[in-house]
Amino acid sequence: MKKGKKLYEGKAKIIFATNDKNLIIQHFKDDATAFNNQKKSIIDGKGILNNRISEHILNNLNQIGINNHLVKRINMREQLVRLVKVIPIEFVVRNIATGSLTKRLGIEEGTILNEPLIEYYFKNDDLGDPLISREHILNFEWLDVVSLDWINKECKRINYFLQGMFRAINIKLVDFKIEFGKTNENKIILADEISPDTCRLWDVVSEKKLDKDRFRKDLGNVMQAYQE
């Protein structure tokens, strides 16, 4: 597979064209950002770990029928993935209250939710990725009702599987962000990455944070947490 020109560079990844119009190369950077890119740093090796962790998770999700964009990992920092048109919505699945949820609603940190909560955020850095409702999504035709309901079911399936995967190694899956995109055949599949950059992960016993909150909150030892 021949690597072509750079198509896009985001906060954590760079996308390159290939000689196949349906496939692209996703390169994981070492950049760490938080608070809508207001806080930035370079953490050596983070991209390598996120590449490997995301590969492992997406391969396992594929085995249970969750179609996603991963074709294969091609080196320490890059994956060959299917080209999709990303739906401009971030789907955040919460199992335990923390972060913006506790700030917005005054919910006590660490409160276990009665059932998984799915929130929608409009993907727009200039606007700060604002929280939106189901009605916004349908009204502005970002998705139709059938597609939105299907994605909600997929979010719950992914959450159920990941909770079990992490619980098996004594980690709580607190919450996570995922994105979906449409292929050239107009099929909706899971895209982007699933890693400590996009999940909140706590040790079951100590509740030590093993995710990007270590960078957000200046807790230190980011790489050690990702490695763990």
Side-chain angles (χ1 to χ4, degrees), residues 10-15 26-29 31 46-55 57-58 61 68-70 79 81 86 91 158 162 176-180 190-199 212 226:
K11 290 177 282 190
K13 293 182 289 293
I14 305 173
I15 302 300
Q26 179 170 261
H27 175 98
F28 287 77
K29 298 160 60 177
D31 297 50
K46 181 176 77 72
I48 293 172
L49 287 173
N50 282 345
N51 184 20
R52 296 298 300 270
I53 293 168
S54 190
E55 174 205 13
I57 292 173
L58 292 179
L61 287 173
N68 59 72
H69 73 164
L70 178 67
Q79 296 175 358
V81 300
V86 176
F91 296 83
I158 293 166
L162 292 184
F176 61 96
K177 172 190 75 72
I178 49 178
E179 299 179 18
F180 292 83
L190 178 65
D192 197 42
E193 68 177 291
I194 300 179
S195 73
D197 268 12
T198 62
C199 303
K212 198 165 80 168
Y226 279 45

Side-chain angles (χ1 to χ4, degrees), residues 209-227:
K209 293 175 172 59
L210 303 171
D211 55 71
K212 198 165 80 168
D213 269 354
R214 300 205 68 83
F215 172 69
R216 289 189 191 99
K217 300 182 178 183
D218 296 317
L219 299 175
N221 299 321
V222 177
M223 276 296 291
Q224 291 90 331
Y226 279 45
Q227 287 167 344

Side-chain angles (χ1 to χ4, degrees), residues 155-174:
C155 287
K156 291 178 181 178
R157 288 182 65 205
I158 293 166
N159 183 49
Y160 181 76
F161 178 80
L162 292 184
Q163 278 187 302
M165 171 185 279
F166 283 114
R167 177 66 67 167
I169 53 172
N170 295 318
I171 293 175
K172 293 180 186 178
L173 177 62
V174 176

Side-chain angles (χ1 to χ4, degrees), residues 122-138:
F122 180 48
K123 274 179 61 66
N124 187 309
D125 285 343
D126 292 338
L127 300 176
D129 301 330
L131 179 68
I132 57 175
S133 69
R134 176 185 178 89
E135 287 71 24
H136 286 113
I137 295 170
L138 300 178

